Amino acid sequence: MLIRSRKSWELSENSVTSESRYLNRRSILKGIGVGGLIAGTSGFALPSFAKGEDPSASLYPVKRNTAYEGGRAITPEKFATTYNNFYEFGSHKSISKAAQALKIRPWMVKIDGLVEKEMEIGIDDLLAKMPLEERIYRHRCVEAWSMVVPYSGFALSELVKFAAPKSNAKYLVMETFQDKSMAPGQRQFWYPWPYTEALTLEEANNELSFMATGLYGKPIPKQNGAPLRLAVPWKYGFKHIKSIVRFHFTDTRPETFWEDLNSREYGFWANVNPEVRHPRWSQANERDIGTEERIPTLLYNGYEEQVAHLYKDLGKEQLFK
Ligand SMILES: Nc1nc2c(c(=O)[nH]1)N[C@H]1C(S)=C(S)[C@@H](COP(=O)(O)O)O[C@H]1N2
Ligand SMILES: [Mo]
């Protein structure tokens, strides 16, 4: 049985790692074969806005909040904007051109579930209501690469306040757009589209949880998750959901995109921990994509002081995968 042939695709600790490798196996199991993974990733429409035409461009740059510094050199913009994960546009790193097919206006954001009043709001109206600032965050992908990026945007707690959740709301679920005419990756039916992620409300209200709407002092590029993307720097990158269209408040813990695909490898909490291996590789260090240096990975990606208290009472939970 194919399921027994795991050794043939398992990676050694030092190999280049990719979340997509699991899917190679998954598609083989489903009888699709590796060819199916690349089909549909070519061909993209012209950008819906030419350079400089993003309607939010005049909002940036915004004032830097110096409470959040990267602690090492900022990654050059050309790396952070051309080495991406955005499976909607292909399960490899070079999706920045293909992602230009993403149409970012009009962009309606739905707020629903356990809130005082369900609503839909356009991204520019939302931006006008939120206090924008810039923060430098370290970003650590579960694949053991990392970067240091200046995000502009607003604290997620501001959006939570605006949404006015009911007292029984415990989780905030976020959802990416779904439109396979723009996103060829979404034709790959074995993924559980749309991409979803979630935080507890307590995590969402933590000072570090940030909605990124800008990058390097400009509107956030499509490939990085325009026009609205989550940044939770103590968690692995797959939690940082891009191009959000819905915020859903609920009392039930959801199963999110990566957990649904492979709960053995990707969990709900996904907090960074150098001592807890990914089943297929070590998480002890990481490759900085700007310098190509290997550096030690820190517990909670170095944000222990801000977030460790969130997990004090979660004894049996698997916090680190
Ligand atoms: N909708 C969506 N969001 C996503 C992803 C994705 O494939 N689709 N990939 C995640 C992963 S694994 C990482 S590491 C980051 C990468 O963000 P960047 O390309 O801006 O560095 O986006 C995250 N958000
Ligand atoms: Mo990632």
Side-chain angles (χ1 to χ4, degrees), residues 2-264:
L2 269 168
I3 202 158
R4 297 269 166 248
S5 69
R6 181 180 292 160
K7 287 270 184 307
S8 65
W9 57 268
E10 245 177 10
L11 294 168
S12 74
E13 205 169 316
N14 298 317
S15 313
V16 175
T17 53
S18 166
E19 283 140 324
S20 68
R21 288 193 193 247
Y22 166 74
L23 293 159
N24 291 338
R25 172 173 160 265
R26 196 169 194 259
S27 60
I28 288 161
L29 287 177
K30 286 199 168 178
I32 297 155
V34 176
L37 282 167
I38 15 185
T41 55
S42 64
F44 47 88
L46 287 168
S48 47
F49 287 90
K51 224 179 170 182
E53 265 191 282
D54 187 305
S56 68
S58 62
L59 298 175
Y60 306 98
V62 292
K63 195 171 187 300
R64 181 170 293 176
N65 181 340
T66 53
Y68 307 99
E69 295 292 352
R72 59 182 212 262
I74 291 180
T75 301
E77 183 177 349
K78 64 167 190 243
F79 291 105
T81 56
T82 57
Y83 185 90
N84 302 104
N85 271 332
F86 202 165
Y87 276 56
E88 284 80 347
F89 296 99
S91 51
H92 52 86
K93 297 290 175 284
S94 306
I95 54 75
S96 60
K97 281 209 182 76
Q100 301 316 308
L102 176 60
K103 198 168 169 277
I104 54 171
R105 292 299 186 285
W107 191 274
M108 296 304 291
V109 177
K110 188 185 271 179
I111 298 175
D112 68 0
L114 299 173
V115 290
E116 288 307 324
K117 190 170 167 283
E118 297 193 334
M119 65 175 128
E120 267 202 290
I121 182 168
I123 184 67
D124 296 301
D125 294 333
L126 182 64
L127 283 170
K129 288 182 195 303
M130 295 291 133
L132 299 182
E133 60 181 54
E134 182 178 69
R135 299 180 180 190
I136 300 171
Y137 275 173
R138 297 181 292 279
H139 176 89
R140 170 54 159 89
C141 176
V142 75
E143 299 165 328
W145 55 266
S146 66
M147 59 187 177
V148 182
V149 185
Y151 292 108
S152 306
F154 53 88
L156 180 54
S157 62
E158 295 287 341
L159 185 135
V160 172
K161 202 173 23 166
F162 175 69
K166 293 185 173 161
S167 59
N168 54 338
K170 287 199 182 66
Y171 298 91
L172 172 55
V173 187
M174 288 153 274
E175 207 175 283
T176 296
F177 75 90
Q178 183 160 20
D179 182 347
K180 37 182 180 235
S181 71
M182 294 190 292
Q186 292 183 333
R187 289 179 208 140
Q188 299 178 323
F189 59 85
W190 55 94
Y191 292 97
W193 308 114
Y195 199 103
T196 55
E197 258 309 334
L199 299 170
T200 65
L201 219 46
E202 204 192 359
E203 289 178 322
N205 280 322
N206 183 271
E207 59 161 303
L208 283 179
S209 295
F210 198 61
M211 290 309 317
T213 61
L215 203 71
Y216 295 90
K218 291 170 279 193
I220 190 165
K222 294 175 180 181
Q223 61 270 30
N224 297 93
L228 196 58
R229 170 250 176 84
L230 178 67
V232 279
W234 72 100
K235 291 182 181 285
Y236 289 119
F238 67 87
K239 297 289 292 185
H240 302 216
I241 181 171
K242 295 178 167 180
S243 306
I244 299 168
V245 295
R246 182 180 178 205
F247 294 89
H248 178 73
F249 292 83
T250 169
D251 57 4
T252 321
R253 181 157 133 188
E255 193 174 57
T256 50
F257 185 87
W258 282 105
E259 196 182 11
D260 183 3
L261 274 171
N262 188 349
S263 62
R264 202 177 73 94

